Amino acid sequence: MSPSKKQKTENGASSALWELDEETLNSGAVGFTASQLFIKNPACVAYTYDDVIMMPGHICFGLNEVDISTKLTKGISLKVPFVSSPMDTVTEHKMAISMALQGGIGIIHSNFEINEQADEVRKVKRYKNGFITDPICLSPDNTVGDVMEIKEKYGYSGIPITCNGEMGGKLLGIVSNRDITFVEDQTMKLQEIMTPRDKLSVAKQGVELAEANEILKETKKGKLPVVNDNDELVALIARTDLLKNVEFAQATKDPVSKQLLVGAAIGTRPEDRKRAAALVEAGVDVIVVDSSQGDSIYQIEIVKHLKETHPKLQVIAGNVVTPSQAIHLIQAGADGLRVGMGIGSICTTQEVCAVGRAQASAVYHVAKFARKYDVPILADGGIKSTGHITKALALGASCVMMGSMLAGTDEAPGEYFYQDGVRLKRYRGMGSIEAMSKGSEKRYVWENNSAHSVKVAQGVSGAVQDKGTLLRYIPYLVQGVRHGMQDAGVKSLEETWEKLYNDKLRFEIRSPAAQKEGGVHGLHSY
């Protein structure tokens, strides 16, 4: 400690913590800066998450004070930095709904027909709202069978009945689950069983959400129609949404409509312009342009098209692993970048194509460059634990995109099966032959011609172990990340990045023996 600091301490500033001298700081005794690891890199080595370890910092705050809120894109904020991958064994509407309810977001995969993918987006947008401004309506001439079909497709049966069966029509009644539960005749007209208008509690157009919620609580009804002066339906409020608002206070939702936010993936082919238009019409909030190698004229063209045609739409471009790739997509107008190439657990791009990059190096370099343009980056792939998530965020990523980490959950598509007594779910790479045969080859092949009739797999299919429901799994991941940040002495992601780029956050490279030592070892069994 320098004489000046010693004197200051002796004069009464006993609460001030001592600081290390420059010689000790620069000796490597407390680790090395990210610049030293990734930029001043004489060995020309790229690093994975496992290669890197963070040095502990000073803890002066509680675990509950750690703030992990972040940016997905320039225009979308998240309370939790988790994104589910647009893979056909990971994200459909159930996964997207659960991710958004818990503060993250889901990206619907594109191995659907255009109308099917748009329907997946609509299911998310309709799931949780304040004012539901586009509810499904039926007419008095519709049947009980129509209600049952809607219940099967969308999961609810509280349906307003209007004169023309459309939003904006004169409200005539409402049909709820109790009206149809014991009705065996599927052809019965709804006018025979619906609760008529004169027995309904309604709110007038212009009512504040808080006031409408109070009406619902007082009347103890499941649905509250909102009508204008002509008694025409203009919105609907659901009592179940009030309960969800309490249970999921951190939900990722539109501040005005209260709808959950959701993303969807598209390719770079000309027909994907139609897909994007259908998704925008369905209410998608962010589109991920899904390519294994994002620095192509095809992606630049579609990013420009999306930003010109749908200026309010947020667009994430990628995948990239170098600033030389990133700059072209930033120039095209990308609101976020997806970083990662060939590092997923089911991805074989690096082996098959001999192109890619170790993920820790890719995240650090692209994040550092994109920060100059205020473009958040999404670390996609290579995540196997909460430690990997924490490292990705500490190296500059705003969010992490996960596939295998989420594939075994209840909300992932597919059925569970047992193998050797273990409960499993199918999980496959979008570069696997199975997934490519369903449409995902556009992620790896950009032109449509006979030269590409031979498919070269860049992924495999497999199975992952059951992880239960996201309702328990996401809080576990969140808590693990908070513990990691607390141990590193950083209270928020903004503080993390400030220390990263000011050379205050310290790291070391682990030898293979150190990596082995840092895991479970020396036990006969566990």
Side-chain angles (χ1 to χ4, degrees), residues 177 214 272 295 311 436 481 501:
N177 191 52
E214 286 303 317
D272 283 296
D295 185 17
M436 291 174 79
V481 172
Y501 298 116

Side-chain angles (χ1 to χ4, degrees), residues 2-211:
S2 67
S4 62
K5 289 185 178 178
K6 187 182 294 184
Q7 184 67 39
K8 184 177 180 182
T9 303
E10 290 170 354
N11 288 341
S14 58
S15 61
L17 294 174
W18 292 5
E19 295 180 6
L20 283 175
D21 58 89
E22 288 297 318
E23 181 182 355
T24 306
L25 277 173
N26 296 331
S27 69
V30 290
F32 302 90
T33 68
S35 298
Q36 289 174 305
L37 262 60
F38 295 103
I39 298 176
K40 301 169 185 176
N41 184 359
C44 303
V45 176
Y47 298 116
T48 68
Y49 294 137
D50 283 336
D51 291 325
V52 179
I53 193 72
M54 296 168 64
M55 296 294 100
H58 174 63
I59 300 174
C60 57
F61 50 87
L63 189 64
N64 63 327
E65 297 178 69
V66 177
D67 179 13
I68 59 173
S69 60
T70 188
K71 286 263 190 184
L72 173 69
T73 65
K74 290 179 180 179
I76 295 178
S77 297
L78 302 177
K79 297 290 181 61
V80 173
F82 301 160
V83 185
S84 64
S85 181
M87 304 172 72
D88 60 6
T89 51
V90 178
T91 310
E92 293 179 359
H93 73 275
K94 289 182 181 178
M95 175 67 72
I97 287 169
S98 192
M99 289 295 292
L101 285 175
Q102 295 178 87
I105 195 169
I107 312 296
I108 306 290
H109 71 81
S110 60
N111 267 13
F112 284 113
E113 295 298 325
I114 291 176
N115 63 315
E116 293 174 338
Q117 190 182 19
D119 280 343
E120 290 290 303
V121 169
R122 289 190 186 95
K123 289 175 184 177
V124 181
K125 301 304 289 185
R126 284 175 174 155
Y127 181 77
K128 182 174 184 285
N129 311 276
F131 290 97
I132 306 172
T133 55
D134 60 343
I136 295 175
C137 300
L138 294 175
S139 75
D141 292 327
N142 283 103
T143 65
V144 171
D146 295 326
V147 178
M148 297 302 292
E149 185 177 336
I150 290 171
K151 184 178 180 181
E152 174 68 23
K153 189 173 183 180
Y154 295 107
Y156 58 83
S157 56
I159 301 169
I161 309 301
T162 60
C163 60
N164 58 1
E166 296 178 1
M167 182 67 174
K170 191 176 181 65
L171 182 65
L172 301 180
I174 197 166
V175 170
S176 64
N177 191 52
R178 66 172 180 269
D179 296 321
I180 62 171
T181 300
F182 299 108
V183 177
E184 297 181 1
D185 184 2
Q186 299 284 294
T187 64
M188 181 178 290
K189 297 291 179 77
L190 298 183
Q191 60 188 356
E192 298 179 42
I193 61 168
M194 70 181 185
T195 302
R197 169 66 181 86
D198 57 4
K199 294 184 179 179
L200 293 179
S201 298
V202 301
K204 284 292 185 180
Q205 187 175 19
V207 65
E208 294 293 331
L209 183 60
E211 183 183 349

Side-chain angles (χ1 to χ4, degrees), residues 334-350:
D335 301 295
L337 293 174
R338 192 174 167 197
V339 176
M341 190 173 182
I343 38 75
S345 62
I346 38 63
C347 186
T348 60
T349 297
Q350 291 189 17

